Amino acid sequence: KPCFSQWEKYAQKLTKKTYLKSLKPFTMQHLTNDFTPDLTTDLVRFKSVNLEQINQAKLMNRVDHKFVMNRNDLFNLLPALYKNYFVLKIEDVFNHQYTSTYFDTYDLAMYHAHHNQRANRFKIRQRFYHTTGDSFLEIKRKDNKGVTHKSRTEVSNVIDKIPYRQFGFVLGNSQYHPMALKPVMTNEFYRFTLVNKAMTQRVTVDTGLHFFQENNSVSLTDLVITEVKSLRYNMDTTIFNVLADYKIKPTGMSKYAVGMALLNPDLKQNLFKQKINKLKTITHVAQYTFNKPNKHAIF
């Protein structure tokens, strides 16, 4: 069983400067191994591509469709994709660990914009890619036509505030001043990436999701988030047809918004209740209680 006391001690360090040095070598293997399905035997059946090849399908301006399912659904549908997709393989690894730290204003303007379904809303995060050791400051904007625009710039280490040298990047790609932003939530997950043979579509599959914020943490142990990223006018329908065969329908699912809602029950979240209830159903959770600090909630 995972050692939650160690996990809680680690979570308590998130807002301290020691976190900046400890994050890169710390891989959370003691926790995520229990929650992340072993997909190696399934993923080796795909033909693989490397990072340079898959970057042909960067898709920084794209249309996104998200689907949520449980692990059994994932295992069932993967064989239907073997012939039409490649899988990303880096250093003999298929399933890669990511750490994302989200920034927001002190009054959580970006969270509330997402909750209120406003057009032209933003997410600002730093993402650390454990396999390659790369770290980027990333800004995503969804416009009023539903198109996602993503910009990113490399940063040298884990940050707890927007560096001065990145002020221009933030000001040029969002409506927020960097000095008004602070880190509000971190999440970790494992992701494998598929790309269609025309290199016009990416499919990312996230498992082993954990959210943490100071002394609180939540794990969505059985949840799988699949995101299909396509060119707006050149959309490969293969993955959509497979998902439809398994009666898995697209749904809005922001890891940032859902994580913040689960970690902070007092936040305004009435428009998220239906999504959270759907997550409970998918992951076979009968009820959810999370009202005490220093606790780790598991789904």
Side-chain angles (χ1 to χ4, degrees):
K1 295 182 180 179
C3 179
F4 296 130
S5 61
Q6 292 179 0
W7 166 253
E8 290 168 359
K9 288 178 182 178
Y10 175 67
Q12 290 170 1
K13 295 179 181 179
L14 294 179
T15 57
K16 299 180 181 180
K17 290 185 178 179
T18 52
Y19 171 61
L20 305 182
K21 297 180 181 179
S22 66
L23 176 62
K24 189 168 182 177
F26 186 77
T27 60
M28 293 205 330
Q29 290 301 113
H30 66 283
L31 184 63
T32 53
N33 279 350
D34 285 359
F35 295 154
T36 305
D38 184 3
L39 295 163
T40 303
T41 55
D42 297 89
L43 297 180
V44 294
R45 299 185 181 184
F46 288 93
K47 291 183 178 180
S48 63
V49 292
N50 59 34
L51 198 57
E52 183 179 351
Q53 291 171 308
I54 205 172
N55 278 340
Q56 297 177 43
K58 283 187 176 179
L59 305 176
M60 302 303 264
N61 298 320
R62 68 206 187 206
V63 178
D64 296 345
H65 296 84
K66 289 186 179 180
F67 302 81
V68 293
M69 64 193 79
N70 60 38
R71 289 183 291 183
N72 287 336
D73 293 330
L74 174 62
F75 284 122
N76 289 335
L77 65 84
L78 278 178
L81 303 176
Y82 292 152
K83 293 182 180 181
N84 297 292
Y85 288 85
F86 300 117
V87 65
L88 174 63
K89 182 179 179 182
I90 303 175
E91 297 179 1
D92 294 324
V93 177
F94 296 108
N95 213 14
H96 306 276
Q97 186 180 4
Y98 289 58
T99 298
S100 299
T101 297
Y102 289 87
F103 291 81
D104 208 333
T105 62
Y106 284 77
D107 60 354
L108 302 179
M110 283 180 260
Y111 170 83
H112 291 292
H114 192 95
H115 177 273
N116 296 332
Q117 300 178 344
R118 291 182 182 172
N120 290 312
R121 58 182 183 262
F122 295 85
K123 283 188 286 190
I124 300 177
R125 70 188 179 211
Q126 186 201 20
R127 175 160 285 178
F128 178 64
Y129 299 79
H130 289 254
T131 303
T132 62
D134 295 328
S135 184
F136 292 90
L137 181 64
E138 302 179 343
I139 298 176
K140 292 177 71 175
R141 176 177 70 89
K142 178 170 281 190
D143 65 23
N144 56 9
K145 296 182 180 180
V147 178
T148 299
H149 305 268
K150 180 178 175 181
S151 304
R152 70 179 190 174
T153 183
E154 191 166 4
V155 291
S156 58
N157 54 18
V158 179
I159 56 178
D160 60 353
K161 61 182 178 181
I162 305 297
Y164 179 75
R165 63 183 177 276
Q166 309 298 347
F167 275 25
F169 171 75
V170 175
L171 291 169
N173 291 284
S174 78
Q175 63 187 34
Y176 299 98
H177 194 285
M179 294 185 68
L181 303 175
K182 67 171 185 175
V184 295
M185 187 196 78
T186 297
N187 81 318
E188 297 224 11
F189 57 92
Y190 278 80
R191 166 176 290 181
F192 68 85
T193 301
L194 306 178
V195 61
N196 69 338
K197 294 190 174 181
M199 297 290 178
T200 59
Q201 181 186 79
R202 282 191 183 190
V203 180
T204 59
V205 181
D206 299 345
T207 59
L209 275 80
H210 309 280
F211 305 94
F212 42 100
Q213 180 185 65
E214 295 182 348
N215 294 331
N216 293 344
S217 58
V218 174
S219 292
L220 302 179
T221 62
D222 197 38
L223 183 68
V224 176
I225 300 176
T226 297
E227 186 169 5
V228 183
K229 306 168 185 182
S230 308
L231 295 174
R232 186 176 181 85
Y233 299 109
N234 188 13
M235 196 172 294
D236 187 333
T237 61
T238 302
I239 183 69
F240 298 106
N241 294 336
V242 172
L243 290 164
D245 288 343
Y246 284 90
K247 297 181 171 53
I248 299 172
K249 299 179 180 180
T251 182
M253 170 69 188
S254 163
K255 288 191 286 292
Y256 171 59
V258 169
M260 286 291 288
L262 292 175
L263 289 165
N264 302 276
D266 294 332
L267 271 180
K268 181 181 180 182
Q269 53 186 269
N270 52 301
L271 295 182
F272 291 152
K273 286 182 178 179
Q274 185 176 356
K275 292 180 182 179
I276 291 174
N277 287 334
K278 183 176 182 178
L279 296 184
K280 296 178 190 177
T281 301
I282 290 172
T283 55
H284 311 296
V285 175
Q287 63 180 18
Y288 166 67
T289 58
F290 187 69
N291 52 20
K292 295 182 180 180
N294 299 311
K295 295 292 183 182
H296 184 92
I298 306 174
F299 281 66

